[in-house]
Amino acid sequence: MQRVLTTATLVGLLVATAAAFAITERLKLVKSPITGTHISAVFSPTCGCTRKRANISVRFRHRDVVTVSILDSKLKPLRTLVAGQSVPRGRSVFRWEGLTDFGDRAPEGTYRVEIHLERQHRTILFPDRIRLDTTAPQVIDATPNRTQFSPDGDHLADSVSIHYVLSEPAHVIVYANGQRVIRTHFHPTKGAVLWSGLVDGVPVPPGVVTLELGAVDLAGNVTPAAERTRVRVEIRYITLAN
């Protein structure tokens, strides 16, 4: 009798295992109900720029009723963006302004997005991380290669190169006499910028010029004017007698 029960148990386990395997394989063939996902990697609700909100753009294969939530780093619900909202087939965009469900600003950190589809009884947790960053970048160091230069076109000391170090990856911005003259295309933490003594394409008159270095990071935070690093250089033009 004991042998019969043992055999029956083993057969039952084998059948259950085979059924589970079949279900798993079938689910692999089922297309995801959501495609074409684009989630903001970083944003700053205090930047006052186009990156002041995080965008969650997804394409639904079928019409459904969804609940979209923001989860913290411990996967605990922080903010419900929509609850029980009907969405059509196609692309929908949801936006997070950086607040919690209590109306407080969420702290800096990384967050994730979860979407529950009622009709399909499925909940999808996206692997993409959203980084909330409200800290402005700082210029840790700015050193010119020379303090005097003469942009007269003789290819001798025609420009000044300023080597910089930033607190985080950001685009460097240089101001001359309060006007922006340089904004880098790339965002390394270390590098150098070259200024040829022009403001709006016009040569600056001889004299001492105060260059201010700031930066704008990937979230849109800008170094405040009072915290820019200042470098003083002198422009000199040499006139040769006939």
Side-chain angles (χ1 to χ4, degrees), residues 87-105:
V87 294
R89 179 176 179 271
R91 184 162 297 280
S92 293
V93 180
F94 309 95
R95 293 179 174 85
W96 180 40
E97 71 287 4
L99 300 178
T100 69
D101 279 334
F102 298 101
D104 303 321
R105 182 183 300 164

Side-chain angles (χ1 to χ4, degrees), residues 48-69:
C49 61
T50 57
R51 296 187 179 181
K52 62 182 178 181
R53 296 184 182 89
N55 296 321
I56 299 99
S57 176
V58 296
R59 185 183 296 277
F60 295 98
R61 291 188 185 275
H62 307 284
R63 185 180 184 87
D64 213 314
V65 176
V66 303
T67 295
V68 183
S69 304

